[in-house]
Each structure stands twice: as structure tokens, then as C-alpha cells.
Amino acid sequence: MKLRMKLRVKMLLSVLIVAVVVFLASIGFLTSRLEKITLRNAFNFVDATAREYANSIQSSFDNELGMARSLAQSFYFYNELSSNELKENSKRTLNGIALNNPKFLSVWISWELSVLDKNWNKPYGRERYTFYWENAQLKFITDQKNLNGDEPGSLYYQLKTSMLEAVVDPYWFTYTGSNKRVLETSICVPLVKDNKFIGLFGFDIELSRYQEYINNIKPYAGSSAMLLSQNGTIVAHSILENTGVRIDSIYANENKNHNLLDKLNKGEKFSISYTDANDGKKYYATFVSFTVGTSINPWSLAIIAPEDVIIQEAQDVASKSRTVIFVGLFVLAIVVWIIAFSITRPLVKTTKVLGELANGQIDLSKKISINSGDEIQDIGTSVNILIDSLYKTTNFAKEIGKGNLNTSFSKLSENDVLGEALLEMRKSLEYAKELDDKRKSEEEKARWANEGVALFADILRQNTDNMNEFTYEVIHHLVKYVNANIGALFLINTDYQDRYFELASSYAYERRKYEEKRINYGEGLVGRCAKEGETIFMTELPKDYVKIASGLGEENPNCLLIVPLKLNDEVYGVIEMASFEVLEDYKINFVEKIGESIAATISNVKVNIRTAKLLEESRIKSEELASQEEEMRQNMEELQATQEEAARKTAEMESLINALNSSSFVIEYDLNGKIISVNQAYLALTGQPEKDVIGTHHSDNLEFTEEQKINYQKFWTDLRNGIIKKETNKVSIGGKTYTFIETYSPILDETRHVAKILKIAHNITDFIETKGSKKSKKE
């Protein structure tokens, strides 16, 4: 006959038998292992405590290094500043940091001298600016260093060549006016651009602040802690007198046996066990290193705990564990008995609720309350979680159905297939809504642009005969339509040989500004925009480029838009607008698009104005021409009479000249006495070709008397002054002597000034010779 027992009895007997056997067999092993594990965990606890406080101290250093790094990076575009601007910005920035961070003993920047002085071409030399606190007063000092070269072994040279961040080993410093020595360190960050060292930025901080960290580190009674720099200097110690000395001076034996200084210098994490020479006790020491930022100087935090305290605590834990195990075995028997009676009741209730859920009856009131603390409670909790999940899923589906896509919902676990499907459904709906919102936004922008095109199409049809009114209406409406604050329209002027732009109209705060402004082609941003034919959009404006005035003063705009008014690659003008709000791309595209229409209209307006001007000028010219025709007719009648008289006089003059050339020798001289013209009668007489005569001087071949030699210069001076002269001269040409009676007449030009000299001569050679022959015969 099979013995039938209730479920609760089976559970009680099974659990008790197994528990007793297991507990008795393993209690000895577990207690022994527990003592070892507890001891090991105790040492691990010391290590973990060291790591925790090391991370905290590192975080403090990182914050200050981050500030130094931000200070250095704020000057990354130093080359865009002049030397004076760079110096002033450096001083102003340091002053602000020092005032707002009095915890810093000093803040400083050390610039390479070649950065500040363009004439300094040496790879060394630096200029340092320092703000420091002294007797509660902020003071400033500047100095120059390394003018004769960098010292290879110096800290500055190491940082300059490595170009890495650093936390300097601690050093003592005494400030002027105080006898108190301060242990401090320097946080240094280099500024490097294009792999070139530009300068060094940093703070000097007092290290006494970390004494509070060290004082709070007490993992066990009798334990101590210390903060160490790379070179082994004790920055802070539980015993205050040990601060500022090297670790090898206090722990000489430990340093000798375990190479403490070497490990600290390398930034190693390690632990040692040693016997103190003073009290003979064994101590456990753990060293945790940390590096600040990208610095090359690892620091370390050490915790020293007495091993007897750690071992005693482990033994206490093991002893208490044995007691707890035996008590637990007794309690287990009672608990198992209670559980055996309590398991069946919640199982029945749970089965009922699961049946109702299977039929789709989801209600929070069906949640069951089981506090058994075992798998039965887990079953009840799982059922309750299932009810909550189904309820949340139902509500989530309802909210999604209402269009509320922001409803929060989270999966029960990574394997929640239903939750994953619902989240994917919401994601798809959100994406569809996002596409719909984007489409509506694009439609709104398109509508805005189309309305703008229609608005400006109407504006561009008005005032086409008045360029000033036309340009003002354009810039007035364009600034307001794109929601800018100030604008100007420049037109190209090609009336002269040089091309330049004139300010046609400007608009600001609904007031018309008529300002004279001229910008040469290619000059400034406006000129460059016109020359390149491309839009310029800036959110970082040049200093003092433009100001927007209001009742509260003047402010710099946050964006600047310059658009060329271009048609068929020809620029007719430029629109410049500034705004406090950054203009979006669709507004910029609109201005560029409307710019083509404005350019076309400007071209037409100029043609209309030029045409109207030409028509008016043509009308005036026609009237003047009619008047001139009448005057011309009268002048023609007078001219005809004059021409008839001139023809008669010309005929008489030609007859006179012909008679003169036939009967006389005619020669023309310039005012320097050189022959410029000679008639044929003279050439025939002397037998000379014309080319040999032209260009010869009046005095050539002339036989002077003594009186003529004396008065020759006066002779020509009188001729140049318009005085007619008469002379009798002898000329020797080709071995023959000729005697002429000559008349010199100055010829005047239209300004009544003497232009040349005309000589009319008569040959009296034969007469002189005949007269001389008769005189000889008579004698």
C-alpha cells in the first residue's frame, strides 16, 4: 500500500532531511572558507576604499585641469588677434578667472615671445602674465623669461617639447608679507596648434584642501592614509607633520624592500604587507595611482591598515556566521512547516486569476497579494506584473489610438515581444507624423515664399520711374518680410571709368536713412560679394562691422546676409541685411531668388530712366536744332558773302605772291634764325638744291661788317619783338659773292604772337659791280 501524504508534508520532510544533511556536511568547510573569504574581502575593501577616494581626488583635479584646458582652448584662434588685442584678452580673461575662483593661488599664461612679437624669430623666449592673491588682494605681474634660450632640464622645457598636460610635483612657496609656507602645485595645459607649441596655461593651487579627504579615510580602526605625488612627496597625511616630506624619509625600510619610489614614479597600482619598526605590528598598505587628464605625472593614494584589526574582524564574522547557521537551521524547520501550509492556498488563488486572464478579463483589482518571500511570491509577483503589463499595454494602445504618441511605455524585459511590437508600432507612427510635420513645414515655407514672390512682384511694378523710391520700397518690405532688423541696398554706378557701389536706400526700425556711402568694386564684404557674385552669410561678424540701435542702446547683430542682385551673371547691386535672429536657409534662398527679379527690375528701371532722360534731351536738342538751323541759314548767307570776298582777296593774294616770287627772293626763318622755306628764284640764283638750304642758319655764308657783328643779337631780338628790319648784306655761296637789299617782316599767328620771320630780298650785285667799275674808270 502506497503511503499518501499531503503536499505540504512532503515539502516539509524533504526540505528538512536535505537541509540537515547538507548543513552538517558543509558547516565545517563553509566556516573555514568564510573566514578566508572575509579576510580577503577585508583587504579588497581597503583596496576599494583607496580606489574610491583616488577617483574622488582625481575628479577634483580633472575639474581644475578642465578649466585650464578651457582657458587654453579659448585662445585657439589667437592668430586672428593683433599682438595688443591678444595681450589685453589674456589679462582680462585671467583677471576674470582669478576674481571668480579665489581658491586658485594664482592664474597665469606664458606665451611664446614669437607669438606676441612678429619680429622675434627665435625658437625660445616667453612672456608671462600672472594674477595672484596676496594678503586678500589680487595683484598682477608680467615678466619675460628664457630670452637667451630654454633650459633643457627645466619643467617648462619638458612641457614645451612633450606638449602634454601636467600636474607639477608639489613645492613649498612663501608669499610676500607672510611667513606662512604653502605647499602647492601647478596645473599646466599647453596650447598647441598645427603641431606647434604656442604657450602654457595654468593655475597654482594650494594642496592643503586635500587634507580633509585624507582625514575622512578610516576603513578600520588605527588605519591611516596619504596622498603622494609622482616623486614621492607626501601631499597630505593622516599625521599632519608628515605632510611635505618624501615617503622614503618616513618609510625608509619599506622603500628599500619594495622600491616604493620607483613604483610611484611609474604610476603602478600595488599593495604590500610590512612590519612597522616602531610598534612591531604588521600593516597592510595599498597604493592606487591616478593620472589627471593627459598629464605625464601620475599621483597615488595610499591607505595603511593594521592587519590584526582586519584579521580579528574576519574571525568575528566567521564566529557569528556559525551561530547564525545553527540558528538558521532551527528557524528553517519552523519556516518550512509554515510555508508548507501557506503554499497551497496562494497556488489555488493564482490558478484562478490566471484562468480569468486567459479569458481576457484584465482588471487591476484581480492582483493577488502574496508575501511568502519565496517562489510562490515570485509567481504571485509575476502574475501581478502580467496584470500590470496587460493593463499598461491596453492603455498604451488606447492612447496611441487617440494620437497621443508621447505616451510613456517600457518593455518588461529584453524578451518582451509584445512590448517590442508596440514600441515599433509607435516608432512607425512617430516617423509618419514626423514626415507629415516636415511636409507641412515645407508647405508652409513654400507658401511663405510664394506669397513673398507675389508681394514683391507687385512692389517691383511700382515706382519704376523713380530709382530712390523704388529701392526704398524694396529694402523696406524685404527687411520686414524676412523679419530682419536693418538693411541696405547698394547699386552699381558705371557712369565713370571706375566701377563702384552707391548706397541707394537703407532701412532700420521703420525710419528711412539717407546716408552717403560709396564702396569700391571688390572692397569690403559688399564689394567682395559683388565681385565674386556669391551670397555671403555670417553668424560671427567682424568687430564693429555694424550696430543695430534701439531705445536701449546699440547691439551687435547675430547674423549678416549679403546677396548679389545678379541677372545673367551681371551684378546690378547688392542687398545687405543684419538681424538679431539667425536667418533660416529658406529665407536666404528666398532673398537670392527675389534678388534676380530685383536685378531685372533695376535693369529695366535704369533703362526707363535713361530712355526718359534721352527723350527729354532729344526734345531739347530738337528745339535747339531748329533755332540753330535758322541761325545757320543766316550764317550761311553771311558765309557765302564772306567766301566771295575771301575768294576775291585770295586771288589777289595769289597774284601778289606770284609777282613777289617772280621779282624777289623770299626766305622764311624760324625764331631761332634757321631757314624753314625758300622760293625757287633764290635756289636758281645760287644754284643750290632746297635740301641743302633748309635748316641752315641765317648767319651761314654771311659776310659781317664790324657793326653787324656787334648788333647781330639785337637784330634778332627786335625781330622776335615784332619790329621790321631792313638790311643790306653780302652772302658768299659757291665761291661767288651776292649783295642783297633785304626786308625782314615778323609774321604773327592767331594769338598775335610772332611765329616766324619773312625775308624779301633783291639782288643788287650787278648794280654794285657796275657802279664800282664806273668809279674805277673815272679815276
Side-chain angles (χ1 to χ4, degrees):
M1 181 178 178
K2 186 176 181 179
L3 181 62
R4 180 180 178 85
M5 292 185 295
K6 294 184 179 180
L7 178 61
R8 58 175 63 101
V9 176
K10 291 180 179 181
M11 292 177 60
L12 177 62
L13 292 177
S14 300
V15 171
L16 286 177
I17 293 172
V18 172
V20 169
V21 173
V22 171
F23 270 80
L24 292 177
S26 60
I27 188 170
F29 174 77
L30 288 177
T31 53
S32 176
R33 290 289 298 168
L34 180 62
E35 183 175 346
K36 294 179 181 179
I37 292 173
T38 303
L39 182 61
R40 184 170 62 251
N41 288 342
F43 288 121
N44 291 338
F45 173 70
V46 176
D47 296 341
T49 303
R51 287 194 297 271
E52 177 185 354
Y53 278 94
N55 291 336
S56 178
I57 295 173
Q58 180 184 12
S59 176
S60 175
F61 274 116
D62 282 339
N63 289 336
E64 290 158 351
L65 186 66
M67 291 183 64
R69 189 182 298 123
S70 299
L71 172 62
Q73 291 173 354
S74 67
F75 287 92
Y76 186 77
F77 295 102
Y78 72 94
N79 52 344
E80 297 181 2
L81 301 175
S82 67
S83 177
N84 289 334
E85 288 175 336
L86 185 58
K87 292 179 180 180
E88 290 303 317
N89 284 352
S90 300
K91 296 174 184 178
R92 185 164 49 252
T93 303
L94 290 176
N95 188 34
I97 294 175
L99 288 174
N100 290 286
N101 297 274
K103 62 182 180 180
F104 296 148
L105 296 175
S106 65
V107 295
W108 46 266
I109 297 177
S110 185
W111 289 105
E112 285 293 289
L113 201 54
S114 58
V115 173
L116 301 177
D117 186 354
K118 303 304 180 184
N119 296 322
W120 185 270
N121 55 7
K122 299 176 182 177
Y124 52 80
R126 58 191 174 109
E127 185 166 313
R128 184 174 62 182
Y129 306 112
T130 306
F131 279 88
Y132 63 95
W133 291 98
E134 183 176 290
N135 297 327
Q137 291 184 347
L138 184 61
K139 297 185 178 182
F140 171 75
I141 186 174
T142 179
D143 56 351
Q144 292 185 341
K145 292 182 173 293
N146 305 111
L147 298 182
N148 296 321
D150 293 324
E151 299 178 7
S154 66
L155 175 64
Y156 182 81
Y157 180 79
Q158 294 175 9
L159 296 176
K160 179 178 178 179
T161 53
S162 67
M163 294 187 284
L164 296 176
E165 300 171 344
V167 178
V168 178
D169 285 325
Y171 53 90
W172 291 101
F173 193 85
T174 303
Y175 286 88
T176 305
S178 173
N179 294 325
K180 179 184 177 182
R181 289 204 311 162
V182 177
L183 185 64
E184 60 182 70
T185 187
S186 298
I187 295 179
C188 308
V189 176
L191 175 59
V192 180
K193 188 170 184 180
D194 299 330
N195 204 31
K196 177 183 178 183
F197 181 82
I198 306 302
L200 194 65
F201 299 70
F203 313 131
D204 295 338
I205 61 173
E206 187 174 356
L207 293 173
S208 60
R209 70 173 79 174
Y210 295 105
Q211 187 63 42
E212 183 177 353
Y213 282 91
I214 299 303
N215 293 339
N216 291 333
I217 302 176
K218 292 289 183 181
Y220 292 102
S223 61
S224 61
M226 56 183 166
L227 177 62
L228 300 155
S229 67
Q230 184 183 16
N231 67 352
T233 300
I234 299 177
V235 177
H237 195 284
S238 298
I239 302 174
L240 192 61
E241 291 77 9
N242 293 338
T243 300
V245 300
R246 284 166 55 97
I247 189 171
D248 56 340
S249 64
I250 301 177
Y251 302 95
N253 293 332
E254 289 71 24
N255 177 59
K256 180 179 179 181
N257 296 331
H258 300 282
N259 296 321
L260 298 181
L261 286 177
D262 184 56
K263 293 179 180 179
L264 291 173
N265 185 63
K266 294 178 181 178
E268 296 182 5
K269 297 180 180 180
F270 63 96
S271 60
I272 64 172
S273 180
Y274 70 94
T275 301
D276 188 270
N278 296 323
D279 57 14
K281 293 183 178 181
K282 292 190 68 175
Y283 288 88
Y284 174 76
T286 182
F287 294 80
V288 178
S289 67
F290 59 89
T291 302
V292 181
T294 61
S295 69
I296 57 176
N297 313 98
W299 285 33
S300 301
L301 177 68
I303 296 180
I304 303 173
E307 289 190 1
D308 58 345
V309 175
I310 298 175
I311 294 172
Q312 182 62 45
E313 182 170 321
Q315 292 174 346
D316 291 344
V317 171
S319 176
K320 293 177 182 177
S321 298
R322 295 187 187 94
T323 303
V324 170
I325 290 173
F326 284 109
V327 173
L329 183 61
F330 176 75
V331 173
L332 178 63
I334 299 174
V335 170
V336 170
W337 182 265
I338 296 173
I339 290 174
F341 284 94
S342 63
I343 286 177
T344 54
R345 183 167 54 87
L347 284 176
V348 173
K349 186 177 181 180
T350 301
T351 302
K352 179 181 177 182
V353 172
L354 289 174
E356 292 174 348
L357 291 177
N359 294 326
Q361 301 177 24
I362 302 172
D363 191 344
L364 293 178
S365 62
K366 297 184 180 298
K367 294 173 68 174
I368 58 180
S369 176
I370 299 176
N371 299 314
S372 59
D374 52 17
E375 286 80 357
I376 300 301
Q377 181 176 341
D378 293 340
I379 294 173
T381 302
S382 298
V383 171
N384 291 337
I385 292 174
L386 178 61
I387 295 172
D388 289 335
S389 174
L390 292 175
Y391 185 77
K392 286 170 58 180
T393 302
T394 302
N395 289 336
F396 179 71
K398 290 180 181 179
E399 292 297 323
I400 293 297
K402 296 177 183 178
N404 186 8
L405 301 180
N406 295 324
T407 301
S408 61
F409 181 78
S410 59
K411 296 188 296 182
L412 295 177
S413 67
E414 291 297 326
N415 301 320
D416 187 0
V417 179
L418 177 60
E420 181 68 27
L422 289 173
L423 291 176
E424 287 295 330
M425 178 188 70
R426 180 174 69 176
K427 187 184 296 183
S428 299
L429 292 174
E430 287 177 342
Y431 179 70
K433 185 176 183 301
E434 180 181 347
L435 291 179
D436 185 59
D437 292 341
K438 184 177 181 180
R439 178 186 58 78
K440 290 180 180 179
S441 176
E442 294 297 330
E443 290 178 352
E444 177 64 21
K445 292 176 181 179
R447 182 193 63 76
W448 180 87
N450 292 334
E451 290 179 356
V453 170
L455 171 65
F456 280 91
D458 182 61
I459 294 173
L460 296 178
R461 287 194 295 268
Q462 303 174 10
N463 298 310
T464 56
D465 57 347
N466 188 321
M467 184 62 76
N468 291 334
E469 289 298 325
F470 170 77
T471 54
Y472 175 72
E473 288 297 320
V474 168
I475 195 64
H476 166 79
H477 287 88
L478 187 59
V479 169
K480 298 188 79 173
Y481 196 73
V482 301
N483 199 26
N485 298 97
I486 187 171
L489 195 154
F490 298 85
L491 295 181
I492 191 167
N493 190 320
T494 57
D495 293 341
Y496 303 96
Q497 292 183 352
D498 59 331
R499 301 172 66 189
Y500 62 90
F501 288 86
E502 292 181 323
L503 178 64
S505 289
S506 62
Y507 177 80
Y509 292 107
E510 301 188 2
R511 292 183 300 170
R512 300 177 66 168
K513 293 187 175 182
Y514 296 95
E515 303 172 352
E516 294 184 1
K517 189 172 184 181
R518 165 176 169 154
I519 299 177
N520 292 326
Y521 192 75
E523 179 183 78
L525 293 177
V526 173
R528 193 185 84 188
C529 173
K531 185 175 182 179
E532 297 176 356
E534 299 293 337
T535 297
I536 296 176
F537 179 69
M538 303 174 65
T539 55
E540 294 183 3
L541 277 65
K543 186 177 180 181
D544 297 328
Y545 178 79
V546 66
K547 296 284 188 180
I548 298 180
S550 66
L552 300 177
E554 292 185 344
E555 292 290 339
N556 289 320
N558 291 322
C559 78
L560 177 70
L561 176 65
I562 306 176
V563 178
L565 303 180
K566 185 170 62 172
L567 179 65
N568 297 328
D569 294 330
E570 182 178 355
V571 177
Y572 290 86
V574 174
I575 286 179
E576 179 182 44
M577 293 191 294
S579 173
F580 287 125
E581 296 182 1
V582 177
L583 299 178
E584 298 182 50
D585 290 340
Y586 75 94
K587 291 186 178 181
I588 298 174
N589 295 333
F590 171 75
V591 176
E592 292 176 336
K593 180 179 179 182
I594 209 68
E596 296 181 2
S597 301
I598 297 172
T601 306
I602 289 174
S603 177
N604 293 334
V605 170
K606 286 188 173 182
V607 171
N608 292 341
I609 293 174
R610 190 180 298 111
T611 301
K613 182 179 180 181
L614 292 175
L615 290 174
E616 178 62 20
E617 291 177 353
S618 176
R619 183 186 64 78
I620 295 173
K621 291 291 184 182
S622 297
E623 293 177 355
E624 292 178 351
L625 186 58
S627 174
Q628 290 174 356
E629 286 179 352
E630 176 61 25
E631 184 178 351
M632 183 69 74
R633 186 187 62 77
Q634 296 175 2
N635 291 339
M636 288 296 292
E637 292 176 356
E638 295 177 359
L639 180 60
Q640 185 176 3
T642 303
Q643 286 177 341
E644 292 174 355
E645 178 65 21
R648 183 182 63 80
K649 290 184 177 181
T650 300
E652 291 178 356
M653 184 61 69
E654 288 179 354
S655 299
L656 181 61
I657 292 171
N658 290 334
L660 185 61
N661 283 326
S662 300
S663 61
S664 303
F665 305 106
V666 180
I667 300 175
E668 293 181 354
Y669 297 91
D670 62 15
L671 297 182
N672 293 322
K674 292 185 177 183
I675 297 174
I676 59 176
S677 175
V678 62
N679 68 348
Q680 291 298 321
Y682 182 80
L683 296 175
L685 173 66
T686 61
Q688 294 177 290
E690 184 179 13
K691 64 183 182 60
D692 291 342
V693 177
I694 298 300
T696 60
H697 195 267
H698 172 265
S699 61
D700 293 345
N701 303 321
L702 188 64
E703 296 181 359
F704 287 98
T705 65
E706 291 299 325
E707 183 181 355
Q708 285 178 328
K709 289 180 180 179
I710 296 172
N711 297 323
Y712 187 70
Q713 292 298 328
K714 183 178 184 300
F715 168 78
W716 276 102
T717 300
D718 290 343
L719 288 176
R720 294 187 190 101
N721 290 330
I723 300 174
I724 299 174
K725 306 291 285 186
K726 292 183 179 182
E727 294 285 333
T728 299
N729 292 318
K730 289 182 179 183
V731 179
S732 295
I733 301 174
K736 189 176 181 180
T737 301
Y738 299 93
T739 303
F740 296 99
I741 295 177
E742 301 171 338
T743 302
Y744 293 86
S745 301
I747 304 302
L748 305 180
D749 60 12
E750 65 274 8
T751 62
R752 308 300 297 170
H753 291 90
V754 177
K756 58 186 177 179
I757 308 299
L758 176 66
K759 181 180 76 174
I760 301 174
H762 297 278
N763 184 8
I764 61 173
T765 305
D766 293 340
F767 174 76
I768 295 299
E769 289 178 353
T770 302
K771 185 177 179 182
S773 176
K774 287 182 180 180
K775 185 176 180 181
S776 297
K777 288 180 180 182
K778 186 175 179 181
E779 291 178 353

